[in-house]
Structures are given as structure tokens and as C-alpha cells.
Amino acid sequence: MSRKSKVKRVGILTGGGDCPGLNAVIRGVTKPALDHGIKVFGILDGFEGLVEGKAQELYNKDVSGILATGGTILGSSNKGDPFHWPEETDGKIKIVDRSKEALKNYEAWELDALIAIGGDGTMHISKKLSDMGMNIVGVPKTIDNDLEATDQTFGHDSAVYVVTEALDRLHTTASSHHRVMVIEVMGRYAGWIALNGGLAGGADIILLPEIPFEWEAIYNKVVARNMMGKRFSIVCVAEGAKSKDGSLVMKAKDLKRTDPIQLGGIGELVAKKISDNTGLETRYTVLGHLQRGGSPTPFDRILSTKFGTQAIELAIKGQFGRMVALKGNEIKSVRIIDAISKQKLVKPNDQAVLAANAVGVSFGIEKL
Ligand code: F6P
């Protein structure tokens, strides 16, 4: 089946941190595009490849058999912002603007459209490139689920699945050894992974960036559980969580990254404070990049395929400067500018927060 389209050559890239479902989107874009006689060029390593002119044509064989594979066949990077390009000389980092080179490559490859798959960083860059004249269609990706314009990003469900499985495993060892088990999960400044994973995995305490916690409330909860005969507790901490009187716990700062802050360490701190202040034996686990690797869940495979096929459909229709988005059960599109105007954060009255609270989960504060 083929349809006449003015769009003849489409570029596709994956930007920022990877997540399960990227390959399913690439397949969802490429298969129908080829069917319509459109050539697809896979740009390598995100915007880095656009600036440095690294791309390869994609054929059916390249996107066959990749629905269930994790990672991205195109490679990705969270350091290749064309407008904020880090150049290192003599150990010093200088930030330069290489967006003109990106545009030059887009024109040299004679692209009619560029499909940019990524999170908020990628969408910010996409907006600026589309202001320079590129025809961009965005696809929202991130395990963090922090893009306001879509009900869900692909990758989130897979990350929540990993957290849930980890919590199930921690439960059995926590209960055997009568310990407090703290698990630190990803999510950056949003608590969606901790909230949804914590709820699905039956955490006793969930700590979110959006609800600064009180140390005493945490100690009281684990001690109260012990006194009730529940001789173990599970604490699910978002990497961006902080106490009311504290600040974000950072692992490193890297000026080459689109977001220089690398979060990490709050899990260890929470475990230490619980142990010091309650005397209960405590261990911590940092789940890290396990949340980003591996095969996408069925939900993410379906969402990614829908996103990919809708993205190429938008390109064929010439609807540029837009991002595909899940709204209820339907895939719609929104202007990229609207997609980046606000970050989606957990509200204290979110139904998942209220449900967790109703079944006795503590958010580390005496009263929600
Ligand atoms: O945005 C996705 C994410 O996995 C965050 O949850 C996390 O803070 C960050 O990326 C980790 O980035 P990196 O892979 O650069 O360590």
C-alpha cells in the first residue's frame, strides 16, 4: 500500500537518556514510511549526529525484529545540545553554539522532516531547531514521565515494572532478616517512578521530590510497624526526594550534560538516618540504570508503536512543530512549545497518592 506524499526524506533520532520502547518507535516510524516510499535516515547518537553529520539510511531489515529490544539502534546522548555544545580545551569546558552545523546537515541530507524522540531536553532543542526552519515532529520519551502534555511517556511503564519486581524481591529478604530496606529509584525532579513503583510494590514509605519529608515521621512509621509486629519495612525513595530542612542529594555535576546535575545518594542517607535514629537494621539498594535497560513491557510496546506510526502520519500531513501525545486512550498531538511549557509533577492530591495514603503508606510527613 502506498500513498503519495510531499515528504520524501525523513530523519529520525533518539536524544537524551535511553529507555525501553525507543526501538519500537523507530520501527513504528520506519515501516510505514518505507511503505509510503519515504526514505528514512537514522541520525546517530542523538543531536550529536545531527551536528557532526553522522547518519545512515534505514531499511526494512534494520527495523525488523527490534520491537522487543531495549536501548536504541541509533545510539543516544545527553551531551549533544547543538545550542549548548561543550568543547573541552586544556581541561576547561567552553560552551559553543553549533546549531548552524545541525541545520547545514539537515539541508545537506535534503530532509523534509525530522522525527525527534526524547524527553524535555530533546523537546526544548527541537523547539529551537524548528524556529530555525526545520520541520520537526516530536515523540515523548522518558522513564520519568514528567512531560505535562502527554498522559504518559513511553518507557515509564517498563521502569515501574522493574521497580515493582525489585520491591517484591526486597520484601522477602526484608521479612526474613527483620530489616528496613531502602530503595532509591530514578525520576529526576519528578516522583512518578517512586509513586507508581512504590504503590505497585507495596512500599510502606514513599518519599517524593514533590512532598518534602520530615525525618521524625519516617522513624515513627518504621518503629510503629515494628511495635505492631511487622518486623520489616520497605522505603521507596525517589532520587530527587529531599527533607523539609534539607536539599537535593547530588552525586556529581557534569557541565557537558544537558542537565549538569547527576542526582544520587538520598537512599544511602535515608538508610543511615533510620539506622542511627531507630536502631533498626537497615540496608539500601540503588536500582539505577536497571530501570532504563531491557525489554519494554507490552504497554510500552503498544504505546511506542502508536506514537511512531502517528509521528510519521503527522510528518506526511505536514503538521510540523508538534509532538504526539497520549490523551486518555487516544494518540493526539500538541504543539512542541506547549509540551515544554510545564513539567508534570506529582500533586499531593493525585489519586495514586490518596490511594496509597488510604492503605497506610506514609509519605514521610505526619499528615498529607
Ligand atoms: O531522565 C532519565 C534519567 O534516567 C533520570 O531518571 C536520571 O536522573 C537520569 O536520567 C540519569 O542520567 P544518566 O544516564 O546520565 O546517569
Side-chain angles (χ1 to χ4, degrees):
M1 194 214 352
S2 95
R3 238 187 316 152
K4 284 249 175 320
S5 161
K6 276 202 265 176
V7 170
K8 300 279 178 235
R9 295 164 72 87
V10 167
I12 181 167
L13 63 77
T14 49
D18 69 344
C19 77
L22 285 167
N23 285 333
V25 178
I26 297 168
R27 171 179 175 268
V29 168
T30 307
K31 284 198 171 207
L34 296 177
D35 214 19
H36 292 147
I38 299 168
K39 281 183 185 278
V40 182
F41 296 88
I43 296 164
L44 307 181
D45 301 336
F47 290 107
E48 230 174 85
L50 188 62
V51 170
E52 304 208 310
K54 294 184 287 178
Q56 69 188 41
E57 190 167 349
L58 295 179
Y59 301 97
N60 225 307
K61 65 171 175 37
D62 299 311
V63 295
S64 182
I66 63 169
L67 170 67
T69 59
T72 159
I73 58 163
L74 300 176
S76 193
S77 165
N78 48 22
K79 293 182 180 167
D81 181 346
F83 301 90
H84 204 256
W85 187 277
E87 240 172 37
E88 200 166 344
T89 27
D90 301 332
K92 283 209 172 120
I93 294 165
K94 198 173 111 201
I95 302 298
V96 296
D97 183 347
R98 295 187 68 185
S99 56
K100 287 203 177 112
E101 288 162 79
L103 183 62
K104 227 164 137 187
N105 284 323
Y106 174 89
E107 288 169 351
W109 291 326
E110 297 180 67
L111 297 181
D112 301 305
L114 172 63
I115 294 178
I117 311 166
D120 57 348
T122 300
M123 294 308 143
H124 273 95
I125 296 167
S126 296
K127 165 70 182 67
K128 292 197 221 164
L129 292 174
S130 105
D131 289 345
M132 289 174 77
M134 289 191 203
N135 292 332
I136 307 227
V137 174
V139 181
K141 156 249 69 161
T142 167
I143 60 165
D144 304 339
N145 199 31
D146 58 353
L147 284 180
E148 180 70 39
T150 181
D151 288 354
Q152 193 151 326
T153 51
F154 73 87
H156 178 65
D157 189 63
S158 303
V160 167
Y161 182 84
V162 173
V163 173
T164 306
E165 208 203 353
L167 286 180
D168 288 349
R169 288 174 186 273
L170 285 178
H171 258 100
T172 59
T173 174
S175 132
S176 310
H177 288 268
H178 319 300
R179 284 171 170 159
V180 178
M181 290 296 202
V182 179
I183 181 169
E184 178 184 306
V185 302
M186 283 185 167
R188 262 201 324 165
Y189 312 113
W192 295 108
I193 299 178
L195 175 62
N196 292 328
L199 186 54
D204 305 299
I205 300 176
I206 300 176
L207 303 177
L208 307 176
E210 295 89 342
I211 305 177
F213 60 83
E214 295 150 7
W215 291 108
E216 284 300 323
I218 298 175
Y219 311 147
N220 291 346
K221 175 76 182 180
V222 292
V223 169
R225 277 179 56 81
N226 247 44
M227 286 167 68
M228 275 163 52
K230 304 252 185 178
R231 296 173 60 205
F232 72 92
S233 289
I234 305 284
V235 187
C236 182
V237 192
E239 62 181 357
K242 55 181 187 297
S243 67
K244 275 190 173 168
D245 54 2
S247 47
L248 280 176
V249 182
M250 246 188 270
K251 200 173 194 173
K253 228 175 175 177
D254 179 356
L255 293 176
K256 290 186 182 168
R257 294 158 55 99
T258 308
D259 175 1
I261 293 173
Q262 194 186 350
L263 293 170
I266 183 72
E268 184 177 4
L269 178 67
V270 168
K272 180 163 183 350
K273 296 273 272 183
I274 291 176
S275 159
D276 289 352
N277 287 278
T278 66
L280 295 170
E281 197 177 17
T282 307
R283 296 284 188 274
Y284 73 92
T285 304
V286 179
L287 208 46
H289 292 81
L290 289 174
Q291 294 157 96
R292 294 226 311 246
S295 204
T297 56
F299 178 89
D300 275 337
R301 295 180 197 194
I302 294 166
L303 183 60
S304 301
T305 304
K306 286 184 181 172
F307 274 170
T309 53
Q310 283 298 312
I312 190 67
E313 200 56 40
L314 283 184
I316 289 171
K317 288 184 181 150
Q319 294 190 13
F320 302 120
R322 302 189 71 80
M323 182 189 86
V324 295
L326 178 68
K327 299 277 183 190
N329 281 326
E330 272 186 79
I331 309 295
K332 306 242 171 167
S333 74
V334 294
R335 294 186 314 158
I336 293 179
I337 175 90
D338 297 329
I340 57 177
S341 59
K342 206 167 154 220
Q343 206 183 15
K344 182 168 71 183
L345 297 174
V346 176
K347 294 190 185 75
N349 64 353
D350 186 281
Q351 278 195 343
V353 174
L354 299 179
N357 191 46
V359 294
V361 175
S362 163
F363 285 87
I365 49 174
E366 287 305 344
K367 224 175 158 9
L368 248 191

